[in-house]
Amino acid sequence: MTDSADAGRTVSAFLASLGLDPVVIGPMSAGTLLEPGGPAFGTTLSGAELTALAAR
């Protein structure tokens, strides 16, 4: 989640360099998906599933 495209690219590249698979789900306001009570909280989702959930 980021409101800055440049920051998103920087963080994504850093996470990828650590061997992680970053998933950009949109602006900071999309973070509610990951909060307690949100649809992604406490679940195990693939990157594709999380991306699809964020697109709803």
Side-chain angles (χ1 to χ4, degrees):
M1 299 167 291
T2 182
D3 289 332
S4 167
D6 288 337
R9 283 188 292 276
T10 299
V11 172
S12 289
F14 172 69
L15 293 173
S17 76
L18 297 175
L20 301 172
D21 188 17
V23 177
V24 178
I25 62 170
M28 293 297 292
S29 61
T32 57
L33 294 169
L34 306 173
E35 293 178 353
F41 182 78
T43 63
T44 302
L45 300 171
S46 69
E49 291 169 327
L50 183 56
T51 301
L53 183 62
R56 288 190 209 169

